[in-house]
Amino acid sequence: MSRVLVLNSGSSSVKYRLFDGSSTIAKGLVERIGESGGEVADHRAALQGIMDETDLSGLVAVGHRVVHGGPDFTGPTVIDDDVVARVEALVPLAPLHNPAALTGIEVARKLLPDVPQVAVFDTAFHATIPPEGVTWAIDRSLAERWQIRRYGFHGTSHAYVSRRTAHVLGRDPASTNVITLHLGNGASACAVEGGRSVATSMGMSPLPGLVMGTRSGDIDPTVIFHLHRVAGLPLDEIENSLTRHGGLLGLSGDNDLRTVLERRAAGDADATLAFDVYCRRIREYVGAYLAVLGRVDAITFTAGVGENAPAVRAASLAGLEPLDIEVDPERNERREEIISPPGARIPVCVIPTDEELEIAGQSRTALSLPD
Ligand code: ADP
């Protein structure tokens, strides 16, 4: 038995999945931790509950999803006190995300002291992006002092779906170039060259890049100065607006793309504009990453929207036939693995992501355990 427990700890939730090899033998979600009406009082009680309900015999590792690995964590890392201290030191870079992961790690280490624990970072896959792809043209001394650069996120998903894409196409991942489009509540694009990330759309935080459910994606930073100086909004309020009231929600009043699609079908103008802005941004990144990669062997859609919204896949890539990119309407509607016409030079794929499975695999790798 080679069981791995994967934990994804959020500020008020813990998602867990127990793997035996690559099969899932238990999974669940504890929500509203510490909230009135919630099931449990704190993360310790949540994890204790998960452990009481789940047969953890034969457990060889606990894999923790950690959002921000900063500049130093470039792969899955076996957790010890030093690693915990280094993840703590990164909290200023990810104040909304890393504290929850740290709580999960602390509790799991206490409750399972004999099981090795591994941190798998959303940023790590992007450590291979060359300096010119992670450096912004700002004062270098400021950037160095405050660790300001692109880090990128959704790394486990981009790694997993780019590798799966190569397998689906019968190719070697090490010689396959893929543009991956992770379109969930959060959304990001990635250019993957031979299994290594060389460009991605999120930045120091998960705010920039594509349009998301509630996050703005790319904007001119002057918008922030303007809202502060001219509109008189405090910084916290601006941050809240761009992260929680932007994106599809800001444009249309709905953050769920399903609702946006329904309203668009009924002729709603705001929903139509939201959809158009969303797809246009994807197209812009596809164009940019075609240029970054030079040769592209596949374009892959994944996550909630990418896997389930044929309209987004069709609209984002419409009119790109001169670049050998085409979506076959029927294959797209049927959500086949390959949705481009037969024999297309650049296949377009739909590959379900599985971040937890990737975290389990990377946890075993970090511990030199067999799959
Ligand atoms: P997360 O980023 O939280 O993991 P998901 O990858 O599950 O999120 O994506 C969630 C989003 O996927 C939802 O906001 C919803 O808009 C979208 N989605 C899910 N199913 C569909 C569907 N059938 N059609 C269009 N969009 C969908």
Side-chain angles (χ1 to χ4, degrees):
M1 255 192 308
S2 162
R3 292 188 169 177
V4 177
L5 176 66
V6 173
L7 293 178
N8 184 349
S9 306
S11 55
S12 67
S13 69
V14 177
K15 226 165 135 181
Y16 70 96
R17 202 155 138 201
L18 179 65
F19 289 93
D20 194 351
S22 60
S23 356
T24 300
I25 49 177
K27 65 175 182 177
L29 169 69
V30 186
E31 285 179 294
R32 302 180 65 195
I33 298 172
E35 291 173 14
S36 62
E39 299 161 50
V40 294
D42 57 22
H43 283 74
R44 188 186 171 92
L47 271 182
Q48 187 67 60
I50 292 168
M51 288 169 49
D52 292 346
E53 282 172 24
T54 318
D55 174 13
L56 294 180
S57 56
L59 194 65
V60 294
V62 180
H64 295 269
R65 176 192 182 212
V66 184
V67 169
H68 215 307
D72 300 333
F73 290 109
T74 59
T77 306
V78 181
I79 296 171
D80 58 17
D81 291 343
D82 173 59
V83 169
V84 170
R86 286 162 61 206
V87 174
E88 259 161 18
L90 293 171
V91 166
L93 278 177
L96 303 176
H97 293 104
N98 274 21
L102 280 162
T103 307
I105 290 170
E106 188 197 322
V107 172
R109 287 180 87 201
K110 274 199 191 118
L111 295 177
L112 296 164
D114 302 323
V115 182
Q117 318 247 338
V118 179
V120 178
F121 301 92
D122 273 21
T123 48
F125 182 59
H126 304 298
T128 49
I129 301 177
E132 65 272 22
V134 296
T135 307
W136 289 309
I138 63 169
D139 184 318
R140 283 200 67 183
S141 57
L142 274 181
E144 273 163 28
R145 173 150 185 225
W146 299 104
Q147 302 183 298
I148 293 170
R149 44 160 276 194
R150 183 190 307 281
Y151 294 97
F153 299 88
H154 289 145
T156 50
S157 179
H158 291 298
Y160 177 82
V161 299
S162 58
R163 204 173 59 240
R164 287 282 314 140
T165 299
H167 289 150
V168 163
L169 298 174
R171 300 180 56 113
D172 177 6
S175 59
T176 303
N177 296 348
V178 189
I179 297 174
T180 48
L181 299 163
H182 177 110
L183 312 176
N185 283 316
S188 67
C190 184
V192 184
E193 186 175 57
R196 294 152 60 91
S197 171
V198 294
T200 196
S201 58
M202 284 178 166
M204 187 168 121
S205 79
L207 181 56
L210 303 178
V211 176
M212 313 185 204
T214 67
R215 290 181 220 145
S216 63
D218 290 336
I219 57 162
D220 175 349
T222 301
V223 171
I224 297 164
F225 315 140
H226 186 83
L227 286 174
H228 187 57
R229 238 186 252 129
V230 181
L233 296 186
L235 281 177
D236 286 351
E237 212 168 295
I238 299 170
E239 181 176 27
N240 195 42
S241 176
L242 297 180
T243 56
R244 297 205 174 84
H245 300 279
L248 293 173
L249 179 66
L251 288 171
S252 74
D254 276 303
N255 65 297
D256 192 313
L257 191 86
R258 280 166 289 205
T259 321
V260 174
L261 289 173
E262 281 162 22
R263 287 175 48 198
R264 172 175 171 263
D268 182 292
D270 292 344
T272 302
L273 180 64
F275 176 85
D276 291 345
V277 174
Y278 187 94
C279 295
R280 158 82 180 220
R281 186 71 50 78
I282 297 170
R283 170 196 298 275
E284 289 176 349
Y285 272 93
V286 169
Y289 292 172
L290 284 168
V292 167
L293 288 167
R295 191 199 84 224
V296 172
D297 302 306
I299 298 174
T300 294
F301 288 89
T302 194
V305 173
E307 292 165 30
N308 298 304
V312 166
R313 298 192 295 257
S316 328
L317 301 181
L320 299 185
E321 292 84 0
L323 299 174
D324 291 326
I325 297 167
E326 192 177 346
V327 171
D328 177 284
E330 276 146 34
R331 290 178 156 204
N332 187 31
E333 282 301 327
R334 287 199 299 266
R335 201 243 246 194
E336 294 185 8
E337 255 177 349
I338 302 174
I339 58 168
S340 43
R345 196 179 67 80
I346 303 184
V348 180
C349 303
V350 181
I351 305 285
T353 192
D354 195 337
E355 289 166 282
E356 283 96 6
L357 179 61
E358 179 68 17
I359 290 171
Q362 290 196 18
S363 301
R364 288 197 188 91
T365 304
L367 293 163
S368 307
L369 295 168
D371 291 344

